[in-house]
Structures are given as C-alpha cells and as structure tokens.
Amino acid sequence: AQKVTQAQTEISVVEKEDVTLDCVYETRDTTYYLFWYKQPPSGELVFLIRRNSFDEQNEISGRYSWNFQKSTSSFNFTITASQVVDSAVYFCALSRLDTGRRALTFGSGTRLQVQP
Amino acid sequence: DGGITQSPKYLFRKEGQNVTLSCEQNLNHDAMYWYRQDPGQGLRLIYYSQIVNDFQKGDIAEGYSVSREKKESFPLTVTSAQKNPTAFYLCASGTATTNEKLFFGSGTQLSVL
C-alpha cells in the first residue's frame, strides 16, 4: 500500500521567516514520482514540482527548495523568506504505478498561514 | 485558454436526491479523475478514467457513479446512497501515465440541505 504523511496540520509564520513543510511517504515501488501542489483559497490545486525516485538532487526555484532523501523516504519543501501570498494549503503526493492503478495518492495537507 | 471547468461552484442536495457534478476539459488529456476533499483528510480518490468508455473505482467509490462517453467530459453523480456527501469535489485530468502532473479544476462545494 502507498501512503503519504504530512504530520504538520497547520503552520503559522511571520512574513520573511523561512518555513519547511514535511512529507514522508511509503511505497513498495522502486520507480515512483513525488509531487507538491499548492491550493490557494480559490480551491484549484497548482502544480509546484515533480521528482522521480532516481533523482535525489535537491532543487531550488526562486524562494522554493525541495529536499528529497530516499534513505528516510522524505520529500520536504522549504519556503525561504515567506510572503503573505504563500498562504495556502500544500499537498505532497505520490504516484501509484502498481497493479495498473494509476492515480496520485495525496497527503492530508499542511495549511500555511503567513502573517504580515 | 486550455483548462478544466467544473460546474456548478456550489451545489445543494436534498435528502434522497441524486446530483451530478460536471467536469469538462479541453486539454486533450486521456485520463480524468475525481477527488473528494474533507477538512484534515486531504484528497481521496473516488473514480478515475484512463480512456473513453472505461473507468475504475478509487478508494471511496461507494455512493458515487461516473460515465466517460466523451474524452472531454467526466461527470460525477452523487447518489442518495452516499450518506455523507458534504465535501469539496475536485476534478483533474492528465496524460495516461501518472509521472506527469495533473491539472485541476476549481472545485464544487456540495452541501446537504
């Protein structure tokens, strides 16, 4: 079975603070993909990043960075110098390739509130 | 502009009533998905379809039905058998392989009167 755990239900920070959102996953697949999505108050999920299981390089995109560690089954997301516009619910997700059931498994999400 | 359109944005259901949520995409995607979002529970898969005229149950399919008669459309019916239908419903589409990102609609909030 596949599972994604986001233990942080809600995080509140003050603008310009750095914040890290945790994601831990479980899978028996040797090949899999991990994703982060952002859900602003409008409701639509917005894709942020995709990472495959063979690529453990960290990635940085502007104020966003991702740390993928296969040894600990974690795919953490850091926002540097947070801004009010970063306030949203963030979801980590894992692709399911087993038994032909091809769909994403999502974590429960972390609500980030950035205070001005 | 290409994208996914869900309608209506808000929907109310009476006891014993079936209601249908619409999802249309013009991205030429083969795969479409329905997810249910409850507070604190993330997104749970209801049904998905990899190709026209074929669909599979997800983790919480009981009380729901779907059809996929056209590539562009994947409507979800919430039947009277679904005893706790109040939730936010999200439709998504993508290529047939899940290593590619999904595109999401803006959701439908369903409430029970």
Side-chain angles (χ1 to χ4, degrees):
Chain A
Q2 304 208 358
K3 185 178 179 181
V4 177
T5 301
Q6 295 180 255
Q8 303 152 307
T9 304
E10 187 163 346
I11 301 174
S12 182
V13 299
V14 177
E15 207 169 18
K16 297 184 182 178
E17 283 186 35
D18 298 346
V19 58
T20 295
L21 309 182
D22 298 332
C23 173
V24 175
Y25 63 92
E26 297 175 28
T27 180
R28 293 181 181 175
D29 288 344
T30 54
T31 302
Y32 52 89
Y33 287 81
L34 293 160
F35 300 78
W36 275 96
Y37 284 85
K38 173 182 180 179
Q39 185 181 39
S42 60
E44 180 177 339
L45 268 72
V46 177
F47 167 81
L48 294 177
I49 191 172
R50 179 191 70 179
R51 173 68 64 197
N52 76 54
S53 53
F54 293 106
D55 184 0
E56 289 195 65
Q57 285 189 354
N58 292 333
E59 182 156 340
I60 298 174
S61 176
R63 296 184 296 106
Y64 296 171
S65 62
W66 291 269
N67 183 0
F68 175 36
Q69 291 194 341
K70 213 168 175 178
S71 60
T72 56
S73 296
S74 66
F75 186 42
N76 297 337
F77 172 32
T78 297
I79 301 175
T80 303
S82 60
Q83 300 176 1
V84 173
V85 293
D86 296 326
S87 296
V89 181
Y90 291 86
F91 290 97
C92 181
L94 172 68
S95 64
R96 301 181 68 156
L97 301 177
D98 59 318
T99 64
R101 182 171 172 171
R102 300 186 171 187
L104 291 183
T105 298
F106 284 85
S108 56
T110 297
R111 180 177 298 277
L112 174 64
Q113 293 190 340
V114 182
Q115 308 290 342
Chain B
D1 288 338
I4 299 180
T5 301
Q6 287 188 244
S7 62
K9 192 167 182 64
Y10 300 96
L11 186 58
F12 297 91
R13 193 191 89 166
K14 297 179 181 179
E15 290 288 338
Q17 185 183 42
N18 293 351
V19 292
T20 297
L21 284 61
S22 170
C23 179
E24 303 277 333
Q25 56 101 357
N26 60 5
L27 299 168
N28 199 33
H29 284 156
D30 288 312
M32 296 188 74
Y33 307 82
W34 276 105
Y35 284 91
R36 170 176 169 148
Q37 184 177 10
D38 295 279
Q41 294 195 44
L43 278 68
R44 293 182 290 168
L45 182 65
I46 304 173
Y47 268 99
Y48 66 105
S49 168
Q50 297 287 318
I51 196 170
V52 174
N53 292 322
D54 188 39
F55 49 83
Q56 287 77 40
K57 293 182 179 180
D59 299 310
I60 55 166
E62 186 174 350
Y64 300 97
S65 66
V66 294
S67 63
R68 186 84 187 277
E69 297 176 0
K70 298 186 302 182
K71 188 175 186 177
E72 302 79 20
S73 178
F74 192 40
L76 173 73
T77 296
V78 184
T79 74
S80 57
Q82 173 50 245
K83 298 306 179 187
N84 184 24
T86 297
F88 189 60
Y89 292 86
L90 282 160
C91 178
S93 73
T95 62
T97 55
T98 53
N99 56 332
E100 297 295 329
K101 65 182 182 182
L102 295 184
F103 293 78
F104 283 83
S106 56
T108 294
Q109 176 63 52
L110 175 61
S111 303
V112 176
L113 289 177

